[in-house]
Amino acid sequence: MKTKIGHGYDVHRFAPERELWIGCVKIPYEMGLMGHSDADVLTHAVIDALFGAAGLPDIGAHFPDTDDRYKGISGEKLLMLTREILTEHGITIGNIDCTVIAEQPKLKKYISDMRRAMSLALGINLDDINIKATTEEKLGFTGRLEGISAHAVCLINIK
């Protein structure tokens, strides 16, 4: 068995009249994130980390924003589709570590729900996914409340 590491990054701009989904959890907030899908910035970063570790094309190649099948699709469904693709390639997930960067809303009380939802969608143990949230101390686009970004790293095992 071979173990490989991957890194993913995603960013979405705030948009009015959209729901805010982060880590497969709906977060009460005055704005959501702009995107073709539900714009779940955290799941998108995780998906890119997983595809990157596997040496596969990125999230945009697998689930293009030009394809109406993915319009409004949830991050949870994209994680399940990603798991199917990885399984087809003989890949299992070792662990995932993520960081969400958001000045607002505060995410601490939602992290356990995010971990649970994402672990279920990916078919991994709860202990194999970690999520942290931080601010950028009012610096940059996240500090100016223009959007949210996320980083993810993962280990995968290839048979």
Side-chain angles (χ1 to χ4, degrees), residues 10 23 138:
D10 195 41
K138 299 190 181 357

Side-chain angles (χ1 to χ4, degrees), residues 57-124:
D58 69 8
I59 188 173
H62 282 93
F63 314 118
D65 63 7
T66 55
D67 189 331
D68 284 340
R69 290 180 298 171
Y70 305 114
K71 180 144 182 75
I73 194 168
S74 69
E76 178 182 36
K77 181 65 176 168
L78 290 176
L79 287 175
M80 291 188 284
L81 292 170
T82 299
R83 178 181 71 190
E84 290 175 13
I85 293 166
L86 295 176
T87 300
E88 290 169 6
H89 285 83
I91 295 168
T92 57
I93 299 168
N95 75 302
I96 300 168
D97 185 36
C98 320
T99 303
V100 180
I101 300 101
E103 201 70 32
Q104 291 291 326
K106 299 300 182 193
L107 300 174
K108 182 178 180 179
K109 66 182 177 182
Y110 304 104
I111 288 177
S112 62
D113 290 339
M114 291 179 199
R115 288 181 61 223
R116 187 171 22 268
M118 292 179 70
S119 69
L120 289 170
L122 289 168
I124 62 175

